[in-house]
Amino acid sequence: LLDGLCRALTNSGWIVPFERVCWVMATPTVVNTERMNRLHSRDGPALVFDDGWTLYAWKGIRIPDRIIREADTISAEDIARQWDPIIRRCMLEIFTPERFVREGHAERAGVDESGILWRKRWFEGDMWAAVEVINGTPEPDGSFKHYYLQVPPAVRTPCEAVAWTYGLTEREYLALRQRT
């Protein structure tokens, strides 16, 4: 009695059972994920099916396909016009925080020995923040690479922002005496 059902399930992809209905999907031909196993692709669709249906995703968030297909044309103005804060954050990551800051779209909110805290206030009270830090190890040419790490917008100082990236409070971070 279950032979047909077993054959169907063996040849299917995802199965989502409910009390009175069961969704059965074909196996995708392409599945792109990042290291946390979330759907993600910088170069194209994260999911592709035989029938041509695709899904674009950035770190597990479904995004409009044009954001990936036309990534090189994204501007800070496009980011500012995006009303959905989650999609806006994805666009900003693709644009890169470094470029966003370099082109003058964020305000310097603080400077200390840990780095520079940058902020951007969006409409509806949404905020974005990143801390600019300098790698302590020189590059082969003797220069020091800068990194821009996105942090919660509620952080008050660059030191607190850097501490957050390590999962520490500012006080715990300051108690560390040796830089690695």
Side-chain angles (χ1 to χ4, degrees):
L1 291 173
L2 296 177
D3 188 44
L5 179 60
C6 287
R7 254 194 328 263
L9 296 178
T10 302
N11 295 307
S12 66
W14 294 317
I15 300 166
V16 184
F18 291 96
E19 187 175 326
R20 295 182 182 203
V21 66
C22 180
W23 297 96
V24 180
M25 291 163 254
T27 303
T29 56
V30 173
V31 178
N32 290 309
T33 60
E34 38 89 271
R35 67 173 186 233
M36 292 179 64
N37 213 24
R38 298 177 293 190
L39 289 174
H40 176 82
S41 178
R42 177 179 289 280
D43 307 354
L47 277 180
V48 178
F49 288 87
D50 275 339
D51 65 358
W53 190 87
T54 60
L55 181 133
Y56 287 76
W58 185 262
K59 295 182 181 176
I61 298 167
R62 185 177 184 178
I63 59 173
D65 60 346
R66 67 177 168 71
I67 293 174
I68 296 294
R69 287 189 296 104
E70 302 168 16
D72 56 338
T73 67
I74 293 174
S75 69
E77 291 72 26
D78 295 330
I79 295 168
R81 282 192 297 268
Q82 176 53 245
W83 62 271
D84 184 329
I86 296 169
I87 302 297
R88 185 168 48 241
R89 295 234 193 297
C90 294
M91 291 173 73
L92 211 149
E93 284 184 24
I94 293 165
F95 188 78
T96 76
E98 177 181 8
R99 184 173 165 206
F100 192 74
V101 168
R102 185 179 65 238
E103 292 182 8
H105 302 289
E107 295 176 11
R108 185 183 292 215
V111 178
D112 64 25
E113 69 284 347
S114 299
I116 303 171
L117 182 62
W118 298 96
R119 286 193 207 287
K120 173 66 176 175
R121 291 186 188 278
W122 307 103
F123 39 86
E124 293 128 23
D126 184 31
M127 286 179 30
W128 170 86
V131 63
E132 178 183 352
V133 295
I134 302 172
N135 192 356
T137 306
E139 297 296 313
D141 66 359
S143 65
F144 290 87
K145 191 167 183 177
H146 287 236
Y147 291 93
Y148 294 78
L149 311 170
Q150 291 191 63
V151 295
V155 296
R156 298 175 311 263
T157 66
C159 185
E160 183 182 3
V162 171
W164 177 87
T165 69
Y166 289 108
L168 301 171
T169 65
E170 186 172 7
R171 174 180 239 147
E172 292 168 332
Y173 181 73
L174 288 171
L176 298 175
R177 296 285 183 226
Q178 183 176 354
R179 183 176 182 170
T180 59

